[in-house]
Amino acid sequence: MVAELPDYYFRVRENGAFVFRVDTENRQRRIEMDQIAVVNIRNGEIKPHGNRKLSEADLEEIRNWMAERTALLATRDIDDIHRAVDYLNQTTHWAQSKASDEQLEQVTDALLLAMHDLRSVLVRKKADRLMRADAKS
């Protein structure tokens, strides 16, 4: 059984994608991909490629992809933060039980500065949230 290909292909790039229409309905039964647009998910911009006019179906598919991609990236972001917490815990265990004096000398200042910076931001953001919550009450 042959899997049916989607009508659109999104070549992901750092802040969006190149959008292609997939065509297999040709004489040679080859897969042809015709670029129809460039998408920027940071600013929501959809630019037709060349002199193309995007159909409503094209725009709907692109908007749906943008929404799904944005949700996926948000999920990845929070997952990365949870992993960072795990790494901090593993780093603490390493520093306490396995690290040599030379290894600690190599990383202590960088870790202390990074943790101080993170703590400052977290404390400020927490205070802002508490102030807003008090103002709503």
Side-chain angles (χ1 to χ4, degrees):
M1 185 167 151
V2 176
E4 196 163 319
L5 293 174
D7 293 332
Y8 298 89
Y9 171 72
F10 295 83
R11 182 192 301 154
V12 175
R13 59 192 189 116
E14 184 178 335
N15 59 345
F18 296 105
V19 184
F20 296 86
R21 188 175 292 120
V22 177
D23 178 23
T24 58
E25 301 299 321
N26 53 61
R27 284 192 290 204
Q28 295 83 18
R29 300 284 298 155
R30 292 184 182 160
I31 299 171
E32 293 181 9
M33 296 189 337
D34 186 25
Q35 185 176 352
I36 62 170
V38 176
V39 173
N40 184 323
I41 58 172
R42 287 191 185 146
N43 64 14
E45 190 173 54
I46 300 170
K47 288 184 184 176
H49 182 70
N51 294 326
R52 294 209 180 281
K53 300 253 189 269
L54 299 176
S55 70
E56 277 304 313
D58 294 336
L59 290 170
E60 182 179 347
E61 190 72 26
I62 291 168
R63 288 184 190 117
N64 287 341
W65 179 87
M66 290 172 73
E68 290 171 8
R69 183 71 181 170
T70 301
L72 174 64
L73 293 175
T75 299
R76 286 182 182 170
D77 279 348
I78 197 68
D79 187 52
D80 287 347
I81 301 306
H82 287 294
R83 287 175 203 243
V85 171
D86 289 346
Y87 289 138
L88 283 171
N89 286 318
Q90 291 170 5
T91 302
T92 302
H93 179 70
W94 169 83
Q96 186 173 23
S97 63
K98 298 177 183 177
S100 69
D101 289 345
E102 294 80 25
Q103 289 172 320
L104 286 171
E105 191 60 38
Q106 289 178 16
V107 298
T108 296
D109 290 343
L111 280 169
L112 287 172
L113 288 170
M115 291 183 330
H116 175 74
D117 186 30
L118 176 60
R119 183 183 185 283
S120 298
V121 169
L122 291 175
V123 167
R124 184 174 16 95
K125 293 286 196 168
K126 177 83 172 190
D128 291 347
R129 288 193 312 275
L130 290 173
M131 298 280 283
R132 282 195 307 271
D134 284 347
K136 288 181 183 178
S137 301

PDB file of all heavy atoms in Angstrom, residues 28-65:
ATOM      1  N   GLN A  28       5.099  11.556 -15.593  1.00  0.00           N
ATOM      2  CA  GLN A  28       6.177  10.692 -15.134  1.00  0.00           C
ATOM      3  C   GLN A  28       5.935  10.133 -13.736  1.00  0.00           C
ATOM      4  O   GLN A  28       6.716   9.334 -13.247  1.00  0.00           O
ATOM      5  CB  GLN A  28       7.511  11.465 -15.134  1.00  0.00           C
ATOM      6  CG  GLN A  28       7.996  11.883 -16.494  1.00  0.00           C
ATOM      7  CD  GLN A  28       7.336  13.182 -16.947  1.00  0.00           C
ATOM      8  OE1 GLN A  28       6.786  13.937 -16.155  1.00  0.00           O
ATOM      9  NE2 GLN A  28       7.373  13.422 -18.256  1.00  0.00           N
ATOM     10  N   ARG A  29       4.876  10.560 -13.071  1.00  0.00           N
ATOM     11  CA  ARG A  29       4.547  10.142 -11.697  1.00  0.00           C
ATOM     12  C   ARG A  29       5.692  10.466 -10.742  1.00  0.00           C
ATOM     13  O   ARG A  29       5.939   9.773  -9.760  1.00  0.00           O
ATOM     14  CB  ARG A  29       4.201   8.652 -11.620  1.00  0.00           C
ATOM     15  CG  ARG A  29       3.043   8.197 -12.440  1.00  0.00           C
ATOM     16  CD  ARG A  29       1.704   8.551 -11.875  1.00  0.00           C
ATOM     17  NE  ARG A  29       1.509   7.926 -10.570  1.00  0.00           N
ATOM     18  CZ  ARG A  29       0.692   8.403  -9.655  1.00  0.00           C
ATOM     19  NH1 ARG A  29       0.008   9.493  -9.877  1.00  0.00           N
ATOM     20  NH2 ARG A  29       0.551   7.815  -8.507  1.00  0.00           N
ATOM     21  N   ARG A  30       6.410  11.527 -11.046  1.00  0.00           N
ATOM     22  CA  ARG A  30       7.469  12.002 -10.178  1.00  0.00           C
ATOM     23  C   ARG A  30       6.894  12.981  -9.180  1.00  0.00           C
ATOM     24  O   ARG A  30       5.890  13.633  -9.441  1.00  0.00           O
ATOM     25  CB  ARG A  30       8.555  12.706 -10.990  1.00  0.00           C
ATOM     26  CG  ARG A  30       9.321  11.779 -11.878  1.00  0.00           C
ATOM     27  CD  ARG A  30      10.425  12.525 -12.561  1.00  0.00           C
ATOM     28  NE  ARG A  30      11.127  11.624 -13.463  1.00  0.00           N
ATOM     29  CZ  ARG A  30      11.873  12.018 -14.454  1.00  0.00           C
ATOM     30  NH1 ARG A  30      12.033  13.311 -14.689  1.00  0.00           N
ATOM     31  NH2 ARG A  30      12.475  11.149 -15.221  1.00  0.00           N
ATOM     32  N   ILE A  31       7.582  13.097  -8.079  1.00  0.00           N
ATOM     33  CA  ILE A  31       7.180  14.086  -7.084  1.00  0.00           C
ATOM     34  C   ILE A  31       7.758  15.426  -7.508  1.00  0.00           C
ATOM     35  O   ILE A  31       8.973  15.553  -7.672  1.00  0.00           O
ATOM     36  CB  ILE A  31       7.674  13.714  -5.678  1.00  0.00           C
ATOM     37  CG1 ILE A  31       7.075  12.390  -5.242  1.00  0.00           C
ATOM     38  CG2 ILE A  31       7.360  14.831  -4.688  1.00  0.00           C
ATOM     39  CD1 ILE A  31       7.683  11.840  -3.960  1.00  0.00           C
ATOM     40  N   GLU A  32       6.904  16.383  -7.692  1.00  0.00           N
ATOM     41  CA  GLU A  32       7.353  17.736  -7.997  1.00  0.00           C
ATOM     42  C   GLU A  32       6.929  18.644  -6.859  1.00  0.00           C
ATOM     43  O   GLU A  32       5.808  18.550  -6.363  1.00  0.00           O
ATOM     44  CB  GLU A  32       6.756  18.223  -9.316  1.00  0.00           C
ATOM     45  CG  GLU A  32       7.286  17.461 -10.514  1.00  0.00           C
ATOM     46  CD  GLU A  32       6.714  17.972 -11.829  1.00  0.00           C
ATOM     47  OE1 GLU A  32       6.034  19.018 -11.830  1.00  0.00           O
ATOM     48  OE2 GLU A  32       6.956  17.298 -12.844  1.00  0.00           O
ATOM     49  N   MET A  33       7.853  19.504  -6.446  1.00  0.00           N
ATOM     50  CA  MET A  33       7.550  20.449  -5.379  1.00  0.00           C
ATOM     51  C   MET A  33       7.768  21.842  -5.933  1.00  0.00           C
ATOM     52  O   MET A  33       8.867  22.185  -6.358  1.00  0.00           O
ATOM     53  CB  MET A  33       8.421  20.191  -4.153  1.00  0.00           C
ATOM     54  CG  MET A  33       8.151  18.848  -3.537  1.00  0.00           C
ATOM     55  SD  MET A  33       8.926  18.478  -1.938  1.00  0.00           S
ATOM     56  CE  MET A  33      10.303  19.523  -1.823  1.00  0.00           C
ATOM     57  N   ASP A  34       6.713  22.620  -5.910  1.00  0.00           N
ATOM     58  CA  ASP A  34       6.729  23.967  -6.461  1.00  0.00           C
ATOM     59  C   ASP A  34       6.607  24.961  -5.310  1.00  0.00           C
ATOM     60  O   ASP A  34       5.599  24.961  -4.587  1.00  0.00           O
ATOM     61  CB  ASP A  34       5.551  24.108  -7.427  1.00  0.00           C
ATOM     62  CG  ASP A  34       5.536  25.413  -8.168  1.00  0.00           C
ATOM     63  OD1 ASP A  34       6.605  26.019  -8.340  1.00  0.00           O
ATOM     64  OD2 ASP A  34       4.428  25.822  -8.593  1.00  0.00           O
ATOM     65  N   GLN A  35       7.644  25.786  -5.104  1.00  0.00           N
ATOM     66  CA  GLN A  35       7.596  26.737  -3.993  1.00  0.00           C
ATOM     67  C   GLN A  35       6.512  27.770  -4.249  1.00  0.00           C
ATOM     68  O   GLN A  35       6.462  28.374  -5.311  1.00  0.00           O
ATOM     69  CB  GLN A  35       8.931  27.434  -3.777  1.00  0.00           C
ATOM     70  CG  GLN A  35       8.910  28.325  -2.552  1.00  0.00           C
ATOM     71  CD  GLN A  35      10.251  28.967  -2.243  1.00  0.00           C
ATOM     72  OE1 GLN A  35      11.257  28.649  -2.857  1.00  0.00           O
ATOM     73  NE2 GLN A  35      10.250  29.858  -1.289  1.00  0.00           N
ATOM     74  N   ILE A  36       5.646  27.954  -3.234  1.00  0.00           N
ATOM     75  CA  ILE A  36       4.553  28.913  -3.387  1.00  0.00           C
ATOM     76  C   ILE A  36       4.642  30.082  -2.419  1.00  0.00           C
ATOM     77  O   ILE A  36       4.034  31.119  -2.661  1.00  0.00           O
ATOM     78  CB  ILE A  36       3.169  28.232  -3.250  1.00  0.00           C
ATOM     79  CG1 ILE A  36       2.994  27.611  -1.861  1.00  0.00           C
ATOM     80  CG2 ILE A  36       2.979  27.192  -4.355  1.00  0.00           C
ATOM     81  CD1 ILE A  36       1.579  27.140  -1.574  1.00  0.00           C
ATOM     82  N   ALA A  37       5.392  29.919  -1.319  1.00  0.00           N
ATOM     83  CA  ALA A  37       5.422  31.007  -0.328  1.00  0.00           C
ATOM     84  C   ALA A  37       6.604  30.852   0.618  1.00  0.00           C
ATOM     85  O   ALA A  37       7.233  29.797   0.696  1.00  0.00           O
ATOM     86  CB  ALA A  37       4.126  31.024   0.477  1.00  0.00           C
ATOM     87  N   VAL A  38       6.853  31.941   1.353  1.00  0.00           N
ATOM     88  CA  VAL A  38       7.815  31.968   2.455  1.00  0.00           C
ATOM     89  C   VAL A  38       7.038  32.454   3.672  1.00  0.00           C
ATOM     90  O   VAL A  38       6.284  33.422   3.589  1.00  0.00           O
ATOM     91  CB  VAL A  38       8.995  32.920   2.158  1.00  0.00           C
ATOM     92  CG1 VAL A  38       9.931  32.995   3.350  1.00  0.00           C
ATOM     93  CG2 VAL A  38       9.738  32.472   0.913  1.00  0.00           C
ATOM     94  N   VAL A  39       7.217  31.763   4.789  1.00  0.00           N
ATOM     95  CA  VAL A  39       6.467  32.051   6.006  1.00  0.00           C
ATOM     96  C   VAL A  39       7.424  32.465   7.109  1.00  0.00           C
ATOM     97  O   VAL A  39       8.477  31.860   7.292  1.00  0.00           O
ATOM     98  CB  VAL A  39       5.683  30.791   6.449  1.00  0.00           C
ATOM     99  CG1 VAL A  39       5.025  31.000   7.784  1.00  0.00           C
ATOM    100  CG2 VAL A  39       4.667  30.390   5.405  1.00  0.00           C
ATOM    101  N   ASN A  40       7.035  33.505   7.856  1.00  0.00           N
ATOM    102  CA  ASN A  40       7.788  33.935   9.027  1.00  0.00           C
ATOM    103  C   ASN A  40       6.842  33.823  10.220  1.00  0.00           C
ATOM    104  O   ASN A  40       5.888  34.596  10.336  1.00  0.00           O
ATOM    105  CB  ASN A  40       8.278  35.369   8.860  1.00  0.00           C
ATOM    106  CG  ASN A  40       9.145  35.827  10.012  1.00  0.00           C
ATOM    107  OD1 ASN A  40       8.912  35.479  11.166  1.00  0.00           O
ATOM    108  ND2 ASN A  40      10.137  36.625   9.698  1.00  0.00           N
ATOM    109  N   ILE A  41       7.098  32.856  11.108  1.00  0.00           N
ATOM    110  CA  ILE A  41       6.177  32.674  12.235  1.00  0.00           C
ATOM    111  C   ILE A  41       6.388  33.707  13.335  1.00  0.00           C
ATOM    112  O   ILE A  41       5.509  33.894  14.165  1.00  0.00           O
ATOM    113  CB  ILE A  41       6.219  31.245  12.823  1.00  0.00           C
ATOM    114  CG1 ILE A  41       7.608  30.872  13.304  1.00  0.00           C
ATOM    115  CG2 ILE A  41       5.708  30.235  11.840  1.00  0.00           C
ATOM    116  CD1 ILE A  41       7.669  29.560  14.050  1.00  0.00           C
ATOM    117  N   ARG A  42       7.531  34.373  13.342  1.00  0.00           N
ATOM    118  CA  ARG A  42       7.760  35.397  14.371  1.00  0.00           C
ATOM    119  C   ARG A  42       6.858  36.600  14.172  1.00  0.00           C
ATOM    120  O   ARG A  42       6.364  37.173  15.137  1.00  0.00           O
ATOM    121  CB  ARG A  42       9.221  35.847  14.372  1.00  0.00           C
ATOM    122  CG  ARG A  42      10.124  34.797  14.945  1.00  0.00           C
ATOM    123  CD  ARG A  42      11.514  35.330  15.180  1.00  0.00           C
ATOM    124  NE  ARG A  42      12.363  34.253  15.626  1.00  0.00           N
ATOM    125  CZ  ARG A  42      13.631  34.147  15.327  1.00  0.00           C
ATOM    126  NH1 ARG A  42      14.228  35.048  14.579  1.00  0.00           N
ATOM    127  NH2 ARG A  42      14.331  33.130  15.774  1.00  0.00           N
ATOM    128  N   ASN A  43       6.679  37.019  12.927  1.00  0.00           N
ATOM    129  CA  ASN A  43       5.824  38.194  12.688  1.00  0.00           C
ATOM    130  C   ASN A  43       4.529  37.848  11.968  1.00  0.00           C
ATOM    131  O   ASN A  43       3.746  38.731  11.645  1.00  0.00           O
ATOM    132  CB  ASN A  43       6.598  39.281  11.932  1.00  0.00           C
ATOM    133  CG  ASN A  43       7.017  38.854  10.538  1.00  0.00           C
ATOM    134  OD1 ASN A  43       6.539  37.868  10.000  1.00  0.00           O
ATOM    135  ND2 ASN A  43       7.928  39.605   9.953  1.00  0.00           N
ATOM    136  N   GLY A  44       4.298  36.563  11.681  1.00  0.00           N
ATOM    137  CA  GLY A  44       3.056  36.125  11.058  1.00  0.00           C
ATOM    138  C   GLY A  44       2.965  36.405   9.569  1.00  0.00           C
ATOM    139  O   GLY A  44       1.904  36.255   8.971  1.00  0.00           O
ATOM    140  N   GLU A  45       4.069  36.777   8.970  1.00  0.00           N
ATOM    141  CA  GLU A  45       4.054  37.173   7.565  1.00  0.00           C
ATOM    142  C   GLU A  45       4.048  35.956   6.634  1.00  0.00           C
ATOM    143  O   GLU A  45       4.776  34.996   6.846  1.00  0.00           O
ATOM    144  CB  GLU A  45       5.280  38.036   7.282  1.00  0.00           C
ATOM    145  CG  GLU A  45       5.270  38.709   5.942  1.00  0.00           C
ATOM    146  CD  GLU A  45       6.433  39.684   5.825  1.00  0.00           C
ATOM    147  OE1 GLU A  45       7.587  39.275   6.052  1.00  0.00           O
ATOM    148  OE2 GLU A  45       6.159  40.861   5.526  1.00  0.00           O
ATOM    149  N   ILE A  46       3.206  36.038   5.607  1.00  0.00           N
ATOM    150  CA  ILE A  46       3.138  35.034   4.551  1.00  0.00           C
ATOM    151  C   ILE A  46       3.396  35.766   3.238  1.00  0.00           C
ATOM    152  O   ILE A  46       2.601  36.605   2.824  1.00  0.00           O
ATOM    153  CB  ILE A  46       1.754  34.346   4.491  1.00  0.00           C
ATOM    154  CG1 ILE A  46       1.442  33.656   5.813  1.00  0.00           C
ATOM    155  CG2 ILE A  46       1.698  33.356   3.324  1.00  0.00           C
ATOM    156  CD1 ILE A  46       0.009  33.157   5.929  1.00  0.00           C
ATOM    157  N   LYS A  47       4.530  35.461   2.602  1.00  0.00           N
ATOM    158  CA  LYS A  47       4.878  36.120   1.340  1.00  0.00           C
ATOM    159  C   LYS A  47       4.748  35.124   0.196  1.00  0.00           C
ATOM    160  O   LYS A  47       5.441  34.100   0.189  1.00  0.00           O
ATOM    161  CB  LYS A  47       6.327  36.619   1.365  1.00  0.00           C
ATOM    162  CG  LYS A  47       6.584  37.800   2.231  1.00  0.00           C
ATOM    163  CD  LYS A  47       8.042  38.217   2.058  1.00  0.00           C
ATOM    164  CE  LYS A  47       8.404  39.350   2.980  1.00  0.00           C
ATOM    165  NZ  LYS A  47       9.841  39.686   2.872  1.00  0.00           N
ATOM    166  N   PRO A  48       3.899  35.407  -0.771  1.00  0.00           N
ATOM    167  CA  PRO A  48       3.846  34.538  -1.951  1.00  0.00           C
ATOM    168  C   PRO A  48       5.202  34.535  -2.652  1.00  0.00           C
ATOM    169  O   PRO A  48       5.910  35.543  -2.672  1.00  0.00           O
ATOM    170  CB  PRO A  48       2.783  35.190  -2.837  1.00  0.00           C
ATOM    171  CG  PRO A  48       1.987  36.055  -1.917  1.00  0.00           C
ATOM    172  CD  PRO A  48       2.926  36.495  -0.837  1.00  0.00           C
ATOM    173  N   HIS A  49       5.559  33.399  -3.207  1.00  0.00           N
ATOM    174  CA  HIS A  49       6.837  33.271  -3.910  1.00  0.00           C
ATOM    175  C   HIS A  49       6.666  33.750  -5.349  1.00  0.00           C
ATOM    176  O   HIS A  49       5.757  33.325  -6.055  1.00  0.00           O
ATOM    177  CB  HIS A  49       7.303  31.822  -3.892  1.00  0.00           C
ATOM    178  CG  HIS A  49       8.626  31.592  -4.550  1.00  0.00           C
ATOM    179  ND1 HIS A  49       9.794  32.033  -4.010  1.00  0.00           N
ATOM    180  CD2 HIS A  49       8.953  30.970  -5.711  1.00  0.00           C
ATOM    181  CE1 HIS A  49      10.801  31.690  -4.803  1.00  0.00           C
ATOM    182  NE2 HIS A  49      10.307  31.046  -5.845  1.00  0.00           N
ATOM    183  N   GLY A  50       7.552  34.642  -5.763  1.00  0.00           N
ATOM    184  CA  GLY A  50       7.488  35.157  -7.132  1.00  0.00           C
ATOM    185  C   GLY A  50       6.213  35.957  -7.349  1.00  0.00           C
ATOM    186  O   GLY A  50       5.814  36.763  -6.516  1.00  0.00           O
ATOM    187  N   ASN A  51       5.570  35.712  -8.469  1.00  0.00           N
ATOM    188  CA  ASN A  51       4.329  36.425  -8.814  1.00  0.00           C
ATOM    189  C   ASN A  51       3.089  35.620  -8.477  1.00  0.00           C
ATOM    190  O   ASN A  51       2.025  35.846  -9.041  1.00  0.00           O
ATOM    191  CB  ASN A  51       4.323  36.778 -10.311  1.00  0.00           C
ATOM    192  CG  ASN A  51       5.403  37.772 -10.652  1.00  0.00           C
ATOM    193  OD1 ASN A  51       5.715  38.640  -9.836  1.00  0.00           O
ATOM    194  ND2 ASN A  51       5.991  37.637 -11.824  1.00  0.00           N
ATOM    195  N   ARG A  52       3.206  34.680  -7.589  1.00  0.00           N
ATOM    196  CA  ARG A  52       2.083  33.796  -7.245  1.00  0.00           C
ATOM    197  C   ARG A  52       0.965  34.531  -6.533  1.00  0.00           C
ATOM    198  O   ARG A  52       1.189  35.485  -5.805  1.00  0.00           O
ATOM    199  CB  ARG A  52       2.553  32.691  -6.327  1.00  0.00           C
ATOM    200  CG  ARG A  52       3.508  31.764  -6.955  1.00  0.00           C
ATOM    201  CD  ARG A  52       3.340  30.409  -6.301  1.00  0.00           C
ATOM    202  NE  ARG A  52       4.247  29.466  -6.892  1.00  0.00           N
ATOM    203  CZ  ARG A  52       4.036  28.864  -8.051  1.00  0.00           C
ATOM    204  NH1 ARG A  52       2.957  29.100  -8.720  1.00  0.00           N
ATOM    205  NH2 ARG A  52       4.911  28.019  -8.533  1.00  0.00           N
ATOM    206  N   LYS A  53      -0.213  34.018  -6.721  1.00  0.00           N
ATOM    207  CA  LYS A  53      -1.384  34.422  -5.951  1.00  0.00           C
ATOM    208  C   LYS A  53      -1.781  33.184  -5.145  1.00  0.00           C
ATOM    209  O   LYS A  53      -2.017  32.123  -5.703  1.00  0.00           O
ATOM    210  CB  LYS A  53      -2.526  34.841  -6.871  1.00  0.00           C
ATOM    211  CG  LYS A  53      -2.206  35.995  -7.781  1.00  0.00           C
ATOM    212  CD  LYS A  53      -2.918  37.230  -7.314  1.00  0.00           C
ATOM    213  CE  LYS A  53      -2.788  38.353  -8.317  1.00  0.00           C
ATOM    214  NZ  LYS A  53      -1.638  39.195  -8.082  1.00  0.00           N
ATOM    215  N   LEU A  54      -1.812  33.324  -3.821  1.00  0.00           N
ATOM    216  CA  LEU A  54      -2.178  32.197  -2.964  1.00  0.00           C
ATOM    217  C   LEU A  54      -3.684  32.088  -2.872  1.00  0.00           C
ATOM    218  O   LEU A  54      -4.384  33.089  -2.669  1.00  0.00           O
ATOM    219  CB  LEU A  54      -1.567  32.372  -1.580  1.00  0.00           C
ATOM    220  CG  LEU A  54      -0.034  32.420  -1.531  1.00  0.00           C
ATOM    221  CD1 LEU A  54       0.434  32.703  -0.115  1.00  0.00           C
ATOM    222  CD2 LEU A  54       0.566  31.135  -2.049  1.00  0.00           C
ATOM    223  N   SER A  55      -4.182  30.864  -3.000  1.00  0.00           N
ATOM    224  CA  SER A  55      -5.618  30.627  -2.871  1.00  0.00           C
ATOM    225  C   SER A  55      -6.006  30.638  -1.392  1.00  0.00           C
ATOM    226  O   SER A  55      -5.144  30.559  -0.506  1.00  0.00           O
ATOM    227  CB  SER A  55      -5.987  29.277  -3.498  1.00  0.00           C
ATOM    228  OG  SER A  55      -5.459  28.219  -2.703  1.00  0.00           O
ATOM    229  N   GLU A  56      -7.278  30.676  -1.129  1.00  0.00           N
ATOM    230  CA  GLU A  56      -7.755  30.590   0.263  1.00  0.00           C
ATOM    231  C   GLU A  56      -7.355  29.254   0.882  1.00  0.00           C
ATOM    232  O   GLU A  56      -7.025  29.192   2.057  1.00  0.00           O
ATOM    233  CB  GLU A  56      -9.271  30.798   0.341  1.00  0.00           C
ATOM    234  CG  GLU A  56      -9.685  32.244   0.350  1.00  0.00           C
ATOM    235  CD  GLU A  56      -9.023  33.048   1.470  1.00  0.00           C
ATOM    236  OE1 GLU A  56      -9.004  32.596   2.639  1.00  0.00           O
ATOM    237  OE2 GLU A  56      -8.512  34.142   1.174  1.00  0.00           O
ATOM    238  N   ALA A  57      -7.372  28.192   0.065  1.00  0.00           N
ATOM    239  CA  ALA A  57      -6.951  26.875   0.565  1.00  0.00           C
ATOM    240  C   ALA A  57      -5.470  26.903   0.943  1.00  0.00           C
ATOM    241  O   ALA A  57      -5.083  26.347   1.980  1.00  0.00           O
ATOM    242  CB  ALA A  57      -7.216  25.800  -0.483  1.00  0.00           C
ATOM    243  N   ASP A  58      -4.656  27.557   0.103  1.00  0.00           N
ATOM    244  CA  ASP A  58      -3.234  27.698   0.421  1.00  0.00           C
ATOM    245  C   ASP A  58      -3.063  28.438   1.741  1.00  0.00           C
ATOM    246  O   ASP A  58      -2.333  28.000   2.629  1.00  0.00           O
ATOM    247  CB  ASP A  58      -2.493  28.484  -0.673  1.00  0.00           C
ATOM    248  CG  ASP A  58      -2.424  27.773  -2.009  1.00  0.00           C
ATOM    249  OD1 ASP A  58      -2.530  26.531  -2.050  1.00  0.00           O
ATOM    250  OD2 ASP A  58      -2.266  28.484  -3.035  1.00  0.00           O
ATOM    251  N   LEU A  59      -3.717  29.578   1.856  1.00  0.00           N
ATOM    252  CA  LEU A  59      -3.585  30.402   3.065  1.00  0.00           C
ATOM    253  C   LEU A  59      -4.077  29.673   4.308  1.00  0.00           C
ATOM    254  O   LEU A  59      -3.452  29.759   5.368  1.00  0.00           O
ATOM    255  CB  LEU A  59      -4.335  31.722   2.877  1.00  0.00           C
ATOM    256  CG  LEU A  59      -3.704  32.685   1.870  1.00  0.00           C
ATOM    257  CD1 LEU A  59      -4.651  33.846   1.582  1.00  0.00           C
ATOM    258  CD2 LEU A  59      -2.364  33.196   2.372  1.00  0.00           C
ATOM    259  N   GLU A  60      -5.165  28.945   4.181  1.00  0.00           N
ATOM    260  CA  GLU A  60      -5.693  28.196   5.328  1.00  0.00           C
ATOM    261  C   GLU A  60      -4.704  27.123   5.770  1.00  0.00           C
ATOM    262  O   GLU A  60      -4.432  26.963   6.969  1.00  0.00           O
ATOM    263  CB  GLU A  60      -7.035  27.560   4.982  1.00  0.00           C
ATOM    264  CG  GLU A  60      -7.649  26.811   6.150  1.00  0.00           C
ATOM    265  CD  GLU A  60      -9.000  26.208   5.809  1.00  0.00           C
ATOM    266  OE1 GLU A  60      -9.589  26.546   4.770  1.00  0.00           O
ATOM    267  OE2 GLU A  60      -9.464  25.387   6.623  1.00  0.00           O
ATOM    268  N   GLU A  61      -4.141  26.398   4.814  1.00  0.00           N
ATOM    269  CA  GLU A  61      -3.164  25.361   5.140  1.00  0.00           C
ATOM    270  C   GLU A  61      -1.923  25.973   5.798  1.00  0.00           C
ATOM    271  O   GLU A  61      -1.399  25.442   6.776  1.00  0.00           O
ATOM    272  CB  GLU A  61      -2.772  24.607   3.871  1.00  0.00           C
ATOM    273  CG  GLU A  61      -1.951  23.382   4.121  1.00  0.00           C
ATOM    274  CD  GLU A  61      -2.729  22.231   4.727  1.00  0.00           C
ATOM    275  OE1 GLU A  61      -3.955  22.157   4.526  1.00  0.00           O
ATOM    276  OE2 GLU A  61      -2.098  21.397   5.407  1.00  0.00           O
ATOM    277  N   ILE A  62      -1.469  27.100   5.260  1.00  0.00           N
ATOM    278  CA  ILE A  62      -0.295  27.771   5.819  1.00  0.00           C
ATOM    279  C   ILE A  62      -0.582  28.277   7.225  1.00  0.00           C
ATOM    280  O   ILE A  62       0.229  28.093   8.137  1.00  0.00           O
ATOM    281  CB  ILE A  62       0.164  28.917   4.890  1.00  0.00           C
ATOM    282  CG1 ILE A  62       0.728  28.334   3.584  1.00  0.00           C
ATOM    283  CG2 ILE A  62       1.185  29.805   5.588  1.00  0.00           C
ATOM    284  CD1 ILE A  62       0.952  29.358   2.496  1.00  0.00           C
ATOM    285  N   ARG A  63      -1.732  28.885   7.433  1.00  0.00           N
ATOM    286  CA  ARG A  63      -2.081  29.378   8.776  1.00  0.00           C
ATOM    287  C   ARG A  63      -2.197  28.235   9.773  1.00  0.00           C
ATOM    288  O   ARG A  63      -1.774  28.358  10.926  1.00  0.00           O
ATOM    289  CB  ARG A  63      -3.370  30.185   8.714  1.00  0.00           C
ATOM    290  CG  ARG A  63      -3.196  31.536   8.055  1.00  0.00           C
ATOM    291  CD  ARG A  63      -4.486  32.362   8.092  1.00  0.00           C
ATOM    292  NE  ARG A  63      -4.345  33.524   7.259  1.00  0.00           N
ATOM    293  CZ  ARG A  63      -5.076  33.779   6.161  1.00  0.00           C
ATOM    294  NH1 ARG A  63      -6.036  32.942   5.796  1.00  0.00           N
ATOM    295  NH2 ARG A  63      -4.868  34.862   5.460  1.00  0.00           N
ATOM    296  N   ASN A  64      -2.782  27.124   9.347  1.00  0.00           N
ATOM    297  CA  ASN A  64      -2.877  25.956  10.231  1.00  0.00           C
ATOM    298  C   ASN A  64      -1.490  25.452  10.604  1.00  0.00           C
ATOM    299  O   ASN A  64      -1.225  25.129  11.762  1.00  0.00           O
ATOM    300  CB  ASN A  64      -3.674  24.827   9.570  1.00  0.00           C
ATOM    301  CG  ASN A  64      -5.153  25.111   9.509  1.00  0.00           C
ATOM    302  OD1 ASN A  64      -5.678  25.950  10.239  1.00  0.00           O
ATOM    303  ND2 ASN A  64      -5.841  24.431   8.615  1.00  0.00           N
ATOM    304  N   TRP A  65      -0.576  25.389   9.618  1.00  0.00           N
ATOM    305  CA  TRP A  65       0.786  24.955   9.899  1.00  0.00           C
ATOM    306  C   TRP A  65       1.455  25.915  10.872  1.00  0.00           C
ATOM    307  O   TRP A  65       2.138  25.482  11.805  1.00  0.00           O
ATOM    308  CB  TRP A  65       1.603  24.854   8.601  1.00  0.00           C
ATOM    309  CG  TRP A  65       3.014  24.438   8.871  1.00  0.00           C
ATOM    310  CD1 TRP A  65       3.480  23.160   8.979  1.00  0.00           C
ATOM    311  CD2 TRP A  65       4.136  25.289   9.118  1.00  0.00           C
ATOM    312  NE1 TRP A  65       4.830  23.180   9.271  1.00  0.00           N
ATOM    313  CE2 TRP A  65       5.252  24.473   9.355  1.00  0.00           C
ATOM    314  CE3 TRP A  65       4.311  26.671   9.159  1.00  0.00           C
ATOM    315  CZ2 TRP A  65       6.524  24.979   9.625  1.00  0.00           C
ATOM    316  CZ3 TRP A  65       5.573  27.176   9.423  1.00  0.00           C
ATOM    317  CH2 TRP A  65       6.657  26.337   9.658  1.00  0.00           C
TER     318      TRP A  65
END
